[in-house]
């Protein structure tokens, strides 16, 4: 509700008087909103939550696009260079950002403060696994670092960044609790997903992850690998094969058909689709949908 009320204030000038102090650019504020640029969705979403009202966040990977193979335009690089804070993940999900000229932007790279695990599975393009944002506990660490980066770039609003980061951290803690309790007692302890994005989540909540393709969603498994995955599905009595929203469900459907299973969405949150945005979905709501589908697939009580 707090975020909604701030949006209304920004959009409606008639409310400005009643919202003095909450709107950047009003007397007392040091300048306009802080320009924040993120390589892809989850970092942008966390920045909006922490910077609520004081930041202008741009996401480089467009809605509906998948970040692993996104190539930035010259305009994208210009946006990075003119940002006050630039957020990247590292580990292969935004490889272009490893070497980009970031100009005078203050750079926060998740890989530099969260040690990434070695990638598992086949056909990896990166030796490390970048998908830390899918663990609600590691996400809290990211939020803390974003708070510190925004504060360093804009110390005038330290109290707001502090307050917003604390509130969002409480949401992430509630999400972690929901996962812990929701996945505590399940008939099946493994899942099959289309790309290998869920290692950190699986490690946190104690289930086994079998991926059809590799760490990048566009890496193609061989016919032999597909047959092996189908065998694994049969052996583990798996009734649902997961696919995701930003890539073709073809592989998941092939395996599901092969073993007589159904398909369900497990969203790696690497980006929202335009449909997601219209429906008002976000990191927290999609993570809840993911939990619901995991509980279905793993037959949890
Ligand atoms: Zn990925």
């Amino acid at each position: 509700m707090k975020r909604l009320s701030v949006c209304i204030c920004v959009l409606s000038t008639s409310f400005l008087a009643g919202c003095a102090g909450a709107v950047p650019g009003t007397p007392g504020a040091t300048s306009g909103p802080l320009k924040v640029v993120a390589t892809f969705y989850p970092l942008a979403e966390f920045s909006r939550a922490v910077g609520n009202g004081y930041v202008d966040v741009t996401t480089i990977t467009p809605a509906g696009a998948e970040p692993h193979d996104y190539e930035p335009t010259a305009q994208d690089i210009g946006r990075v260079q003119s940002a006050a804070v630039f957020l990247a993940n590292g580990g292969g999900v935004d490889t272009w950002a490893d070497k980009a000229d970031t100009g005078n932007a203050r750079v926060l790279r998740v890989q530099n403060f969260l040690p990434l695990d070695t990638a598992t599975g086949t056909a990896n393009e990166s030796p490390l696994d970048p998908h830390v944002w899918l663990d609600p506990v590691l996400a809290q660490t990211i939020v803390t670092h974003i708070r510190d980066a925004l504060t360093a770039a804009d110390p005038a609003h330290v109290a707001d960044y502090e307050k917003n980061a604390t509130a969002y951290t409480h949401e992430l803690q509630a999400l972690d609790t929901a996962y812990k309790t929701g996945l505590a007692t399940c008939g099946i302890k493994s899942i099959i997903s289309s790309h290998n994005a869920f290692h950190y989540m699986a490690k946190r909540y104690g289930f086994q992850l079998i991926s059809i393709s590799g760490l990048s969603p566009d890496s193609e498994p061989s016919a032999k690998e597909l047959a092996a995955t189908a065998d694994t599905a049969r052996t583990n009595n798996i009734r649902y094969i997961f696919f995701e929203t930003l890539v073709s469900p073809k592989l998941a459907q092939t395996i599901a058909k092969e073993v007589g299973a159904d398909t369900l969405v497990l969203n790696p949150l690497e980006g929202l689709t335009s449909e997601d945005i219209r429906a008002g979905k976000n990191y927290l709501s999609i993570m809840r949908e993911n939990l619901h589908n995991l509980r279905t697939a793993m037959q949890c009580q």
Side-chain angles (χ1 to χ4, degrees), residues 66-68 93 130-131 133 195-197 215-217 244 268 270:
E66 191 284 310
H68 281 276
V93 74
H131 303 93
W133 61 92
H195 104 268
N196 193 5
L215 215 62
S216 171
E244 57 193 73
E270 295 183 350

Side-chain angles (χ1 to χ4, degrees), residues 42-43 45-47 49-51 87 108 110 113-114 136-151 161-170 172 283:
L43 299 180
E45 175 69 7
F46 298 161
S47 305
V50 177
L87 301 164
L108 183 67
V110 171
F113 58 83
L114 273 184
V137 177
L138 297 181
Q140 292 169 43
T141 305
I142 300 174
V143 165
T144 302
H145 281 80
I146 289 175
R147 177 200 66 191
D148 293 346
L150 298 188
T151 300
Y161 297 142
E162 182 92 28
K163 186 182 67 170
N164 295 340
T166 301
Y168 200 72
T169 297
H170 287 155
L172 292 170
Y283 174 88

Side-chain angles (χ1 to χ4, degrees), residues 66-250:
E66 191 284 310
H68 281 276
D69 52 6
Y70 182 72
E71 290 292 340
T73 62
Q75 198 188 13
D76 290 334
I77 298 298
R79 288 191 178 109
V80 171
Q81 290 170 346
S82 65
V85 178
F86 174 54
L87 301 164
N89 192 83
V93 74
D94 47 13
T95 307
W96 62 269
D98 295 347
K99 288 182 185 140
D101 176 357
T102 53
N104 292 322
R106 183 181 296 273
V107 180
L108 183 67
R109 191 169 272 113
V110 171
Q111 184 179 11
N112 290 349
F113 58 83
L114 273 184
L116 302 182
D117 288 351
T118 303
T120 54
T122 54
N124 296 325
E125 62 180 21
S126 159
L128 298 171
D129 186 328
H131 303 93
V132 280
W133 61 92
L134 289 163
D135 173 348
V137 177
L138 297 181
Q140 292 169 43
T141 305
I142 300 174
V143 165
T144 302
H145 281 80
I146 289 175
R147 177 200 66 191
D148 293 346
L150 298 188
T151 300
D154 176 27
H157 295 115
V158 55
D160 299 280
Y161 297 142
E162 182 92 28
K163 186 182 67 170
N164 295 340
T166 301
Y168 200 72
T169 297
H170 287 155
E171 301 265 23
L172 292 170
Q173 286 167 344
L175 188 66
D176 172 46
T177 303
Y179 268 75
K180 258 190 220 135
T181 50
L183 300 177
T185 315
C186 306
I188 296 172
K189 292 298 273 179
S190 47
I191 64 160
I192 296 183
S193 72
S194 51
H195 104 268
N196 193 5
F198 300 93
H199 154 77
Y200 296 98
M201 181 192 278
K203 188 167 90 167
R204 176 71 60 194
Y205 302 110
F207 59 90
Q208 196 206 341
L209 178 64
I210 302 151
S211 76
I212 304 172
S213 63
L215 215 62
S216 171
D218 56 0
S219 54
E220 287 276 334
S222 66
K224 200 175 153 192
E225 285 165 337
L226 279 178
T229 307
D231 279 345
T232 308
R234 290 192 196 93
T235 311
N236 290 282
N237 208 19
I238 283 173
R239 306 306 309 150
Y240 293 89
I241 309 293
F242 285 110
F243 70 101
E244 57 193 73
T245 44
L246 295 181
V247 293
S248 162
K250 203 181 73 194

Side-chain angles (χ1 to χ4, degrees), residues 22-86:
V23 179
T26 50
T30 47
S31 61
L34 192 69
K35 281 176 79 176
V36 176
V37 171
T39 55
F40 74 136
Y41 170 73
L43 299 180
E45 175 69 7
F46 298 161
S47 305
R48 274 190 292 267
V50 177
N52 188 3
Y54 300 102
V55 295
D56 172 16
V57 182
T58 301
T59 315
I60 296 293
T61 311
E66 191 284 310
H68 281 276
D69 52 6
Y70 182 72
E71 290 292 340
T73 62
Q75 198 188 13
D76 290 334
I77 298 298
R79 288 191 178 109
V80 171
Q81 290 170 346
S82 65
V85 178
F86 174 54

